[in-house]
Amino acid sequence: MNLNQFRKRFPTEDVARKFLEKAIWPNGRFCPHCGCLKSWPIRGRTTRSGLYECGGCHGQFTVTTKTPLHGTKLPLRIWLMALYFMVNSSKGVSSVFLAKWIGVNQKTAWKIGHAIRAMMAAHGNAIGQLSGIVELDEKYLGGKPRFQRGVKHPRGKGTRKSCVHVAVSRQGPARASVVDNDSYATLAPHVRKVVAADAQLMTDQLQTYVAIGKDFASHESVHHGIKEFARGNAHVNTAESFNATLERAKQGIFHYISRQHLPRYLGEVVFRWNNRDPVEKKQRNGLSKIVMQAKPVLEQFDNLLKYAVGTQLRRTIYGGIAVPQPLFGG
Ligand SMILES: [Zn+2]
């Protein structure tokens, strides 16, 4: 779907609102205040359309109440357009470009970007435990230290950069989370949380995994230190390919990532990775090859907006944003 087709799909605010109502309430309208399924539209000459009254708590709500779009003064079509650009780019969109494309100022675009990332992160958290062959790896992300003449800064592990733990199932989704460090005490409970016990683990030579691997169906590792990158079916190439997309997103879009916002940036990279389908592509030599291709835009919208309610960003008194606790334990 190109931008022109996209504009034609959403010609008015009403169409955009109806689309959002279907995507945000896929199982029917519910009150975001109390969860009640009974509600009715409030009609009146002065009432804005899309306003409902709850039969349970008698509170009023719209489709954006208690979502990252809560209280937005922007047209819903601008939000959908921002979603379109975020979902369509292969490695993310900077707030500077997003601002130009959707016609808002950079500060607003930055907030819109994070609101969308918050839903992407919620989508990633809802994946549940990975199973089958699961590759584990760690990646260190963070800003470069200030340049100092003659000083060579260490890279990766042991620096102040954030440790990101990556778990990728070879034929399925990925998960990425910020962890404190790569010690057994930190990683063991984390891996048990994101990976099912019947999974076959593949890791590099990090010693911690030897002990962690005992809790799973099997564990094989490759030793990168002695230039061993694959041994039969044992490799972590999928995890490394995921890390490469993470690195590209970091280089391209979020050059400097603060610890506070890092989980949401990770959510974006994970969302993109998990919203692809295998597609058969004919090659020049006549053979076909399976490549991963992004799902259709509107399908990705539906996947994302399901997680809108309860994922809310609030402005802090310092003008930044904060993430309150989810409403329904999700
Ligand atoms: Zn209610």
Side-chain angles (χ1 to χ4, degrees):
M1 189 184 238
N2 65 38
L3 190 54
N4 225 356
Q5 293 164 320
F6 184 79
R7 284 213 175 97
K8 277 191 187 136
R9 171 70 180 75
F10 300 106
T12 62
E13 275 296 285
D14 229 39
V15 173
R17 190 172 46 76
K18 291 221 167 86
F19 172 83
L20 283 173
E21 288 186 353
K22 253 187 118 171
I24 291 180
W25 299 319
N27 303 314
R29 191 169 66 223
F30 64 89
C31 167
H33 305 296
C34 73
C36 179
L37 293 169
K38 214 179 127 201
S39 61
W40 46 82
I42 302 175
R43 294 209 175 85
R45 254 188 324 120
T46 52
T47 344
R48 59 210 160 104
S49 49
L51 189 66
Y52 300 97
E53 183 182 327
C54 170
C57 69
H58 291 281
Q60 297 187 347
F61 63 91
T62 68
V63 71
T64 59
T65 302
K66 299 214 172 171
T67 73
L69 284 66
H70 188 110
T72 184
K73 290 183 182 69
L74 290 169
L76 297 176
R77 275 177 299 169
I78 297 284
W79 277 94
L80 288 177
M81 201 138 81
L83 263 179
Y84 175 87
F85 287 123
M86 293 270 292
V87 153
N88 254 319
S89 81
S90 59
K91 54 181 188 184
V93 185
S94 80
S95 57
V96 176
F97 280 106
L98 190 60
K100 278 184 198 154
W101 292 339
I102 64 174
V104 300
N105 67 45
Q106 185 265 332
K107 248 185 152 168
T108 305
W110 187 84
K111 283 178 196 159
I112 290 174
H114 273 292
I116 293 170
R117 282 182 200 105
M119 290 189 278
M120 289 174 158
H123 175 276
N125 290 334
I127 286 164
Q129 287 187 315
L130 305 180
S131 54
I133 299 177
V134 179
E135 301 178 16
L136 306 178
D137 202 5
E138 318 83 51
K139 178 150 182 67
Y140 292 85
L141 285 178
K144 251 194 199 138
R146 194 186 294 263
F147 174 79
Q148 281 171 277
R149 190 181 289 276
V151 177
K152 211 165 167 246
H153 292 287
R155 297 166 57 131
K157 190 172 168 169
T159 62
R160 287 180 55 211
K161 291 189 179 185
S162 302
C163 180
V164 174
H165 188 264
V166 173
V168 186
S169 64
R170 216 172 261 179
Q171 248 84 43
R175 300 193 58 158
S177 340
V178 185
V179 292
D180 287 340
N181 50 57
D182 61 6
S183 71
Y184 178 79
T186 305
L187 284 193
H190 175 72
V191 175
R192 277 198 293 266
K193 190 178 121 200
V194 300
V195 183
D198 62 2
Q200 300 158 260
L201 297 191
M202 300 284 175
T203 68
D204 61 14
Q205 70 275 17
L206 186 72
Q207 272 304 310
T208 315
Y209 288 128
V210 177
I212 292 176
K214 295 196 172 105
D215 293 337
F216 294 85
S218 69
H219 172 219
E220 286 185 80
S221 60
V222 281
H223 201 304
H224 290 176
I226 53 167
K227 297 251 155 61
E228 180 191 52
F229 294 100
R231 198 181 54 250
N233 200 25
H235 64 81
V236 286
N237 295 349
T238 326
E240 287 189 349
S241 142
F242 177 87
N243 284 351
T245 64
L246 199 54
E247 184 63 34
R248 274 199 301 277
K250 187 200 132 193
Q251 297 291 347
I253 306 301
F254 40 100
H255 318 276
Y256 176 78
I257 339 167
S258 73
R259 236 185 138 78
Q260 188 203 348
H261 302 309
L262 183 55
R264 258 172 276 120
Y265 282 114
L266 289 180
E268 180 180 359
V269 176
V270 170
F271 180 84
R272 223 163 257 136
W273 181 275
N274 291 344
N275 276 271
R276 301 174 307 164
D277 289 320
V279 185
E280 206 175 334
K281 273 249 164 85
K282 270 257 178 319
Q283 286 177 297
R284 251 189 236 150
N285 56 17
L287 297 171
S288 57
K289 188 176 139 189
I290 301 290
V291 292
M292 298 301 283
Q293 203 174 60
K295 286 179 191 289
V297 171
L298 293 187
E299 190 182 331
Q300 292 197 56
F301 278 22
D302 284 339
N303 286 344
L304 186 75
L305 291 164
K306 264 192 287 198
Y307 298 98
V309 177
T311 309
Q312 194 182 358
L313 295 175
R314 279 274 173 77
R315 223 157 300 166
T316 65
I317 50 168
Y318 306 108
I321 48 179
V323 189
Q325 289 301 307
L327 294 169
F328 304 120

